[in-house]
Amino acid sequence: MILSTEKGVAQYVSDANANGRKLRIQGGGTRQALGNPCQSNAVLSTAGLNNISLYEPSALTIVAASGTPLADIEKELLAEGQRLPFEPMDHRGLLGSTGTPTIGGVVACNISGPARIQAGACRDSLIGIRMVDGTGAVIKNGGRVMKNVTGYDLVKLMAGSFGTLGVLTEVAFKVLPAPETSATVLVEGLSDEQAIAAMSAGLTAPYGVSGAAHISKDRTTLIRVEGFEKSVAYRVSQLQSVLAPLGEASIVSNDNLWKSVRDVEPFHALDTAVWRISVPPSDGAKVAKTLEASNDTVQIIYDWGGGLIWASTPDDLDVRAALNGISGYAECVRGTHIKRLPQNAAIARIEKGLRAKFDPNGILNAGIMG
Amino acid sequence: MEMPKPNKQVLMRKAHILRRLQDVLPENAVIFEEQEVRAYECDALTAYRCPPMIAVLPSSTEEVSAVLKICHEEDVPVVPRGSGTSLAGGALPTSDCVILGVARMNAVLETNYDDRYIRVQSGRTNLSVTGAVEQNDFFYAPDPSSQLACAIAGNVAMNSGGAHCLKYGVTTNNLLGVKIVMMDGEVVEIGGAYLDSTGLDLLGVICGSEGQLGVVTEATLRILRKPEGARPVLMGFDSNEVAGACVSDIIKAGVLPVAIEFMDRPCVEAVEDFAKAGYPEAEAVLIVEVEGSDAEIDDQLEKIKKIALKHKPVELRESKSEEESAAIWAGRKAAFGAMGRINDYMCLDGTIPVNELPKVLHRIGEMSEKYGLKVANVFHAGDGNMHPLILFDANKPGDLELCEEFGAEVLRLCVEVGGCLTGEHGVGVEKRDLMLTQYSEIDLEAQMKVKDVFDPKWLLNAAKVFPLASSDDRRLI
């Protein structure tokens, strides 16, 4: 069912709750594979909730209905020289999905990209939501101002909740000026350990690095700076000297490099499982080594200075075991493994308790988060 | 301020509860004499006071856990306390409660520059987190005005902000993980030295929950490399409206200063008397600070000055040295002290959409005349977080009540124009009874459900945040 008003969503969910009908919540349907298998009797599509209801460039604020295509929002922002700060990834290439990514889907899955290392995740820019809980009640939290500590922050709780606490109907963001220009320092020939040291050197220098990635197979390390023309020129040249002891660094200006990292393009054509692992950056190479030692077809791409590992592996490899005491988590993004698991028993119990409160009959994306 | 009636059953068992707490804590960590618990009767919202039944000062997560377990078993309300600097009454006790102060837990547990984090015990003060890393040119970004005294525990509880959060975000954007003790004594680790979480964002809802979900004993915080330099420019305008328009234009132009501070005439005058910062005669003063290398700063300030000149400033003063920068900031930093010297004041904290600034300031001016109380405005203009200071005389009967009424009207206005009741101070008891102007009963019910999960007996700081009438049924369980 495609619904085009919040009231319609509330009625539909309320009926489903009364009838014990389990719903699959869907925006553009491009990221469905990110969740665990989900029990459902019907699909609730938010694609009809399509409207930018407020955009105030001088207040750095945009508010949109959850089914609004991400591309529409990005276009509207760009016309005023602004952008979403967190550089959301497009999953279509990696997951082989089709459809139109919606802003609600981005929020429900808390989707970010390379800029997350500096500008924060989707949840950090999200400042308000409206939602329909599992009983059909319409709930708002946060608002349209970027500083707001009035009551509990359910905004954060909704980001990345995969629709299990409620159906998002409206989302509000703090946006940022789009940079005048960007440039990338490219270092070639580094090992994983050296690359992580190089990225760390970049991120701990005072030059506002907004992206730090390493493509292991190509031994290519990328460190990005964005801003005003003169400033970027200065900063990349400073970074070049910082990195000089670690390897020869050249300056390139190719945004497609970052789209490739953001969307994990090197893995698109591979017929493998893909995992997303978040760990402290200096543990990144250790995890990758363990994976590579267990199978020689494993490929690794690092983002977030080494803290985010994209691993292409044979489908039967248990990647979670490779963490082996290292703090962090691994999510299966593509493949047959269970996609996501709670980090520990106490957290699992709290999550279960919250879901039982917001969706007492378990009708919203049941089972999708494990 | 209405508070729940004390639980007589608890008060009657004071001796027994005290003995149990003394069994698990060192002698000097349990405070129960009437004269001594008085030290904990209020926080920085001094208008309201109530001595607690008992105060405890544990030194470890284990001790916090033992205390909470006992209180949970004995149905004793617990009010967590960091440094007691809350302006919203977040640490105001009830007479039947145990104050749980984390001030003795102030150690740095781990510092990692390569991975850009620090792990501290939650009683550590905000400024001393930066103090622990600044020898290596790092800093912890959130900088509430009380940063010399306020504890990370309170920062996490209130999701504290500061002058520089336009660029660096507030506490929640700089918090990577916590060790939290649940009301039943269970210790849970959430997040850590890595980014984001795979399940529900529990860290996100714990931050800003005003000590109602658990007691945070350790925090992993993001630290950042200091910029090469920073420099402010000071501008004076002949009306609040023009200053507000200038703020909008700066933001729209794609320059993102690290801070934009706004002071109106009453504030500037008080500051001049007190701090002699050399501020100009103007209706409104802006301080705009940018960061980077010298050349980058020049470049950004050039852009900002160009915008400002279009608004015909009565003064435009760029700092030429560290001394001049310090002088520009001196007045702003002394603002609260300066106001305190001439009057009692109530500091509001409502946030509004930046483009509503001129309208809201105008309306506040009208209200000031209506109530016959003076207002000075000083605030973070870049993010719309206002701090109107309403002046009153605490010794004059009825003045506090009048001031509160005025304050409530200002906050209702903030909500009316699309903003919120509190941008960085928290709800506490101060704004508890205004919550329904911003949220419906259903919205509040959703928030209270979260507390039901973390603290089913509603023992932790339970008389705060939600109007008592809304939370009554839960607290009586």
Side-chain angles (χ1 to χ4, degrees):
Chain A
M1 174 70 82
I2 299 178
L3 296 156
S4 54
T5 64
E6 182 181 80
K7 214 172 154 193
V9 173
Q11 189 59 53
Y12 189 75
V13 172
S14 170
D15 289 350
N17 186 42
N19 302 328
R21 195 162 61 235
K22 289 185 190 295
L23 304 176
R24 179 80 163 101
I25 321 301
Q26 192 174 299
T30 66
R31 305 181 210 268
Q32 304 228 25
L34 296 182
N36 296 328
C38 162
Q39 309 123 36
S40 66
N41 320 110
V43 172
L44 188 171
S45 167
T46 57
L49 300 165
N50 180 353
N51 171 37
I52 296 172
S53 53
L54 182 144
Y55 175 34
E56 188 54 66
S58 65
L60 301 173
T61 314
I62 193 163
V63 184
S66 59
T68 309
L70 174 63
D72 290 3
I73 288 173
E74 288 179 329
K75 199 173 138 202
E76 185 99 0
L77 291 172
L78 202 59
E80 293 286 345
Q82 297 183 341
R83 65 172 180 182
L84 293 171
F86 48 93
E87 203 177 2
M89 171 183 180
D90 185 337
H91 276 84
R92 285 176 292 188
L94 189 63
L95 299 175
S97 57
T98 53
T100 306
T102 63
I103 192 65
V106 169
V107 171
C109 309
N110 190 28
I111 301 300
S112 311
R116 193 269 173 265
I117 190 69
Q118 185 198 33
C122 170
R123 56 87 94 176
D124 291 293
S125 293
L126 188 69
I127 55 177
I129 55 107
R130 293 179 64 88
M131 63 183 256
V132 173
D133 78 2
T135 68
V138 177
I139 295 160
K140 70 168 182 297
N141 194 260
R144 51 171 282 214
V145 288
M146 59 181 92
K147 272 173 90 181
N148 186 347
V149 296
T150 320
Y152 292 178
D153 194 347
L154 304 186
V155 171
K156 301 277 183 304
L157 193 61
M158 283 305 289
S161 66
F162 279 76
T164 61
L165 302 178
V167 183
L168 288 165
T169 54
E170 185 183 273
V171 290
F173 289 98
K174 171 193 177 180
V175 300
L176 285 179
E180 194 173 277
T181 188
S182 80
T184 296
V185 182
L186 186 147
V187 191
E188 284 178 287
L190 302 185
S191 70
D192 287 9
E193 287 86 353
Q194 290 168 327
I196 286 174
M199 292 189 282
S200 182
L203 286 161
T204 53
Y207 305 122
V209 166
S210 77
H214 176 70
I215 295 104
S216 190
K217 187 164 136 284
D218 304 341
R219 294 194 159 223
T220 301
T221 312
L222 309 170
I223 296 176
R224 178 177 64 183
V225 177
E226 298 169 299
F228 291 112
E229 197 109 28
K230 278 191 214 160
S231 168
V232 167
Y234 165 72
R235 290 180 179 223
V236 284
S237 78
Q238 291 296 104
L239 281 166
Q240 221 175 355
S241 358
V242 169
L243 298 171
L246 298 161
E248 182 134 347
S250 55
I251 295 167
V252 295
S253 56
N254 185 350
D255 285 326
N256 284 333
L257 284 174
W258 289 98
K259 187 173 164 292
S260 170
V261 171
R262 187 194 76 180
D263 297 345
V264 205
E265 281 176 8
F267 296 173
H268 287 192
L270 303 178
D271 179 24
T272 55
V274 173
W275 290 74
R276 181 182 177 278
I277 306 161
S278 178
V279 291
S282 50
D283 287 329
K286 238 180 288 172
V287 175
K289 274 237 146 57
T290 309
L291 291 172
E292 283 161 347
S294 59
N295 187 294
D296 58 11
T297 66
V298 166
Q299 284 189 38
I300 301 289
I301 295 170
Y302 299 91
D303 197 355
W304 302 353
L308 176 65
I309 302 165
W310 290 100
S312 158
T313 71
D315 199 33
D316 56 1
L317 193 67
D318 181 5
V319 170
R320 288 190 177 94
L323 254 59
N324 192 24
I326 290 168
S327 67
Y329 60 89
E331 293 169 347
C332 180
V333 174
R334 187 173 79 187
T336 56
H337 277 268
I338 185 145
K339 295 292 173 59
R340 40 190 69 232
L341 287 171
Q343 282 185 266
N344 62 48
I347 287 175
R349 204 178 55 247
I350 297 168
E351 291 188 0
K352 199 175 157 203
L354 289 169
R355 273 195 272 279
K357 289 284 177 190
F358 284 87
D359 178 22
N361 293 316
I363 63 162
L364 302 177
N365 278 351
I368 203 169
M369 290 187 88
Chain B
M1 181 61 57
E2 190 196 352
M3 290 299 269
K5 282 205 188 84
N7 184 337
K8 284 195 186 120
Q9 298 296 322
V10 168
L11 294 174
M12 275 165 54
R13 282 183 289 117
K14 178 177 172 180
H16 165 72
I17 292 160
L18 184 61
R19 248 191 328 274
R20 287 198 66 187
L21 292 171
Q22 285 167 326
D23 280 348
V24 297
L25 293 175
E27 198 183 326
N28 66 6
V30 186
I31 296 155
F32 58 93
E33 299 286 2
E34 212 180 305
Q35 282 312 308
E36 292 175 33
V37 291
R38 208 160 272 285
Y40 300 91
E41 68 182 359
C42 70
D43 51 26
L45 184 69
T46 53
Y48 305 108
R49 294 162 196 266
C50 172
M53 177 173 75
I54 298 167
V56 296
L57 300 171
S59 301
S60 67
T61 299
E62 292 69 31
E63 287 182 2
V64 171
S65 167
V67 167
L68 288 177
K69 190 163 184 292
I70 290 167
C71 292
H72 186 249
E73 284 167 5
E74 302 282 353
D75 289 337
V76 182
V78 173
V79 174
R81 180 180 166 108
S83 299
T85 59
S86 171
L87 292 165
L92 177 70
T94 50
S95 60
D96 56 356
C97 88
V98 168
I99 280 275
L100 194 169
V102 294
R104 286 186 184 170
M105 302 172 60
N106 60 8
V108 172
L109 302 170
E110 188 190 355
T111 313
N112 186 324
Y113 295 101
D114 285 340
D115 290 347
R116 304 167 297 283
Y117 70 87
I118 184 170
R119 194 159 55 88
V120 298
Q121 288 185 313
S122 65
R124 193 167 185 88
T125 60
N126 174 294
L127 196 60
S128 70
V129 173
T130 289
V133 295
E134 68 185 345
Q135 77 274 18
N136 289 309
D137 287 331
F138 276 74
F139 72 111
Y140 173 60
D143 59 341
S145 297
S146 56
Q147 68 181 151
L148 187 63
C150 65
I152 292 298
N155 288 185
V156 172
M158 294 308 197
N159 189 14
S160 304
H164 291 76
C165 53
L166 182 58
K167 178 165 178 190
Y168 294 114
V170 294
T171 303
T172 192
N173 311 115
N174 292 278
L175 179 68
L176 298 170
V178 293
K179 185 179 271 187
I180 184 169
V181 187
M182 308 289 279
M183 187 61 217
D184 63 5
E186 184 180 22
V187 179
V188 183
E189 299 228 22
I190 295 174
Y194 53 90
L195 295 176
D196 304 336
S197 60
T198 181
L200 293 177
D201 190 353
L202 302 182
L203 192 62
V205 77
I206 286 166
C207 189
S209 63
E210 308 209 3
Q212 292 198 317
L213 301 185
V215 176
V216 169
T217 58
E218 288 177 21
T220 306
L221 307 168
R222 179 172 82 140
I223 51 173
L224 297 170
R225 176 69 187 268
K226 276 191 182 160
E228 287 181 272
R231 211 187 308 149
V233 57
L234 181 143
M235 314 166 187
F237 295 94
D238 55 16
S239 83
N240 288 334
E241 282 81 359
V242 174
C246 182
V247 170
S248 285
D249 284 353
I250 290 170
I251 290 174
K252 245 168 105 172
V255 191
L256 195 67
V258 67
I260 307 180
E261 298 290 299
F262 188 122
M263 283 173 280
D264 69 359
R265 178 182 279 277
C267 180
V268 169
E269 282 173 354
V271 161
E272 271 309 296
D273 282 352
F274 180 59
K276 312 255 182 304
Y279 284 178
E281 280 270 332
E283 286 305 310
V285 165
L286 291 181
I287 299 173
V288 182
E289 182 161 275
V290 296
E291 291 179 340
S293 67
D294 268 341
E296 287 177 303
I297 289 172
D298 286 343
D299 193 36
Q300 289 179 75
L301 287 185
E302 212 45 57
K303 289 185 167 74
I304 288 169
K305 283 189 296 187
K306 223 165 137 186
I307 294 166
L309 284 171
K310 282 188 202 150
H311 295 277
K312 304 199 172 33
V314 297
E315 169 109 13
L316 187 59
R317 187 188 305 165
E318 188 182 334
S319 160
K320 296 270 184 300
S321 64
E322 272 190 33
E323 290 72 36
E324 286 181 31
S325 296
I328 287 177
W329 274 111
R332 167 62 183 91
K333 288 188 171 162
F336 284 44
M339 302 313 297
R341 200 179 62 131
I342 52 174
N343 256 102
D344 299 303
Y345 68 82
M346 180 168 137
C347 174
L348 302 177
D349 171 43
T351 302
I352 56 167
V354 179
N355 49 309
E356 299 283 352
L357 219 48
K359 178 175 148 191
V360 170
L361 287 173
H362 184 73
R363 291 270 298 272
I364 290 177
E366 288 174 353
M367 289 180 210
S368 169
E369 278 178 30
K370 183 174 101 182
Y371 286 94
L373 293 175
K374 282 196 177 143
V375 183
N377 283 292
V378 48
F379 54 89
H380 316 306
D383 50 32
N385 191 182
M386 309 192 55
H387 289 309
L389 305 177
I390 305 179
L391 310 185
F392 71 102
D393 182 353
N395 294 321
K396 191 170 151 194
D399 232 29
L400 172 65
E401 290 73 17
L402 193 65
C403 173
E404 286 181 332
E405 210 180 304
F406 183 177
E409 192 170 337
V410 172
L411 294 183
R412 277 194 292 269
L413 172 64
C414 291
V415 174
E416 183 191 310
V417 299
C420 66
L421 298 172
T422 169
E424 57 183 3
H425 295 171
V427 178
V429 290
E430 192 201 22
K431 283 153 296 228
R432 187 188 66 189
D433 298 320
L434 288 169
M435 283 294 271
L436 284 166
T437 60
Q438 186 174 335
Y439 287 121
S440 70
E441 288 281 6
I442 295 172
D443 298 332
L444 293 184
E445 175 70 20
Q447 296 177 29
M448 291 191 291
K449 280 176 178 169
V450 173
K451 183 162 173 67
D452 292 342
V453 173
F454 281 82
D455 175 24
K457 288 185 173 184
W458 275 65
L459 292 171
L460 264 174
N461 220 9
K464 316 283 169 65
V465 184
F466 305 105
L468 293 183
S470 303
S471 64
D472 251 346
D473 292 346
R474 289 173 152 92
R475 279 179 293 101
L476 296 177
I477 290 170

